[in-house]
Amino acid sequence: MSTKWIAVANHKGGCGKTTTVVNLAAEFARNGLTVLVVDLDPQANASMHIGKKHPSEVPVTCAELLLSEIEKLPQAIYDDTNIEGVSLIYGSLGLGRAEDDLKDDTPRPSEELRTKLAPLEGIYDVVLIDCPPSLKLLTSNALAAATHLIIPIESGSQYGLYGVTDLLKHVNKIRRVNPRLELLGALLIKHDERQTVCKLIENAAREQLGKLIPIKIPTSTKVNQAAMAQTSLHVIDRTAKVTREFKELTQYIMNELNMKADVK
Ligand SMILES: Nc1ncnc2c1ncn2[C@@H]1O[C@H](COP(=O)(O)OP(=O)(O)OP(=O)(O)O)[C@@H](O)[C@H]1O
Ligand SMILES: [Mg+2]
């Protein structure tokens, strides 16, 4: 199976990018797929959630990988994480510096991640890339490396769609270097059918983004609990509504992208 490279991006902060990456990764792995999470955010929240080490103690994170020779790749991949079956390339504060250095020192600064991760094509079934809340070079690198894009939208916030046209413009710009990039859809997060604002955001998201994922993630305190416990929603409460929706989301993506676990 060819690798599915899925970027989870939205420059709006706190809309559920990292939560989506971590719980999708866990569910893909539970379905028997080989999974790598690439943390491209200087905040390194995904790394703190699923990594066994503190990002500051990791010698080769995405930052070093982006700025070094491709030979560093094996050192950057950690198979031992808090979530079984999920490997990790850590993010770190150094990504902020790396972003500046890339701009100054590289001929095609947005294509560096794709080049560095190219040897992994066909090795993992799915690579999930967690983006920082910005539209700068790190997010461009994620979009240039990705085959698919999920845009989490906080539907419980009246500002949930703020800036989304800029994001779509940016995606179209990146398509010049990565024509294979496909929008899997907008994913509504913290969604509550009973709230008028959620309904309004849902309709506006469908209109503005064109493609809405039919699964909606509800608000749940279990999300924070899972992050605090450095584990997945499945481990915290496998039958909670929020967990079931992430499972549905995983099945939806597997169907859409024709992904099947190899029989081992
Ligand atoms: N469905 C949910 N229900 C309740 N809380 C949630 C839900 N999804 C995310 N959160 C919480 O909202 C906060 C932001 O979520 P998350 O870190 O996933 O967003 P993000 O887009 O990655 O943020 P950033 O832009 O800073 O990287 C976190 O505290 C997270 O635990
Ligand atoms: Mg995040």
Side-chain angles (χ1 to χ4, degrees):
M1 187 165 86
S2 66
T3 302
K4 306 294 184 285
W5 301 79
I6 305 177
V8 180
N10 185 346
H11 56 307
K12 191 171 183 309
C15 60
K17 296 179 285 293
T18 302
T19 305
T20 302
V21 164
V22 169
N23 287 290
L24 266 183
E27 285 302 319
F28 279 133
R30 278 191 354 94
N31 278 280
L33 299 173
T34 50
V35 186
L36 174 70
V37 168
V38 176
D39 187 356
L40 258 198
D41 185 356
Q43 299 178 100
N45 292 344
S47 303
M48 288 191 277
H49 191 151
I50 66 180
K52 290 224 156 131
K53 293 173 182 286
H54 192 274
S56 61
E57 293 163 359
V58 176
V60 185
T61 71
C62 273
E64 289 74 29
L65 186 64
L66 282 169
L67 296 176
S68 69
E69 298 307 311
I70 206 157
E71 288 74 37
K72 283 248 166 102
L73 179 61
Q75 283 165 263
I77 301 174
Y78 285 78
D79 295 326
D80 187 23
T81 67
N82 298 322
I83 299 184
E84 211 188 316
V86 176
S87 300
L88 171 68
I89 302 185
Y90 281 81
S92 67
L93 273 176
L95 274 164
R97 266 277 309 280
E99 187 167 48
D100 292 339
D101 292 356
L102 271 184
K103 199 161 49 204
D104 298 338
D105 302 339
T106 341
R108 282 190 265 168
S110 63
E111 292 167 67
E112 211 54 32
L113 185 72
R114 176 166 68 185
T115 307
K116 294 289 160 57
L117 299 184
L120 301 180
E121 175 60 46
I123 304 278
Y124 291 93
D125 295 321
V126 54
V127 177
L128 286 155
I129 310 173
D130 192 17
C131 293
S134 100
L135 273 188
K136 293 198 295 185
L137 206 43
L138 291 169
T139 296
S140 303
N141 267 274
L143 296 175
T147 51
H148 297 89
L149 167 65
I150 296 174
I151 302 177
I153 302 282
E154 192 185 337
S155 82
S157 157
Q158 65 271 46
Y159 307 119
L161 282 166
Y162 185 75
V164 85
T165 27
D166 291 334
L167 175 60
L168 290 177
K169 269 192 213 146
H170 195 70
V171 170
N172 279 331
K173 208 168 77 188
I174 297 294
R175 282 208 173 103
R176 280 187 240 148
V177 294
N178 181 18
R180 64 180 185 165
L181 180 63
E182 261 179 58
L183 178 64
L184 255 171
L187 174 66
L188 298 175
I189 305 269
K190 299 187 191 170
H191 189 78
D192 179 353
E193 298 284 338
R194 295 163 305 179
Q195 279 192 43
T196 314
V197 61
C198 291
K199 275 277 165 215
L200 290 173
I201 293 279
E202 178 178 350
N203 292 333
R206 187 176 294 113
E207 206 167 286
Q208 290 184 34
L209 288 133
K211 214 168 166 193
L212 206 55
I213 294 178
I215 288 97
K216 298 156 199 170
I217 307 295
T219 302
S220 168
T221 52
K222 311 248 169 183
V223 169
N224 280 336
Q225 267 179 48
M228 288 291 286
Q230 292 183 296
T231 188
S232 63
L233 281 164
H234 174 83
V235 171
I236 293 292
D237 185 345
R238 64 187 61 186
T239 59
K241 180 158 171 49
V242 67
T243 314
R244 283 189 276 122
E245 295 300 334
F246 271 110
K247 290 177 195 283
E248 288 275 315
L249 174 64
T250 309
Q251 290 306 326
Y252 172 80
I253 295 172
M254 287 178 69
N255 286 339
E256 284 287 293
L257 306 188
N258 223 344
M259 296 158 84
K260 283 190 198 80
D262 288 334
V263 182
K264 295 195 176 97

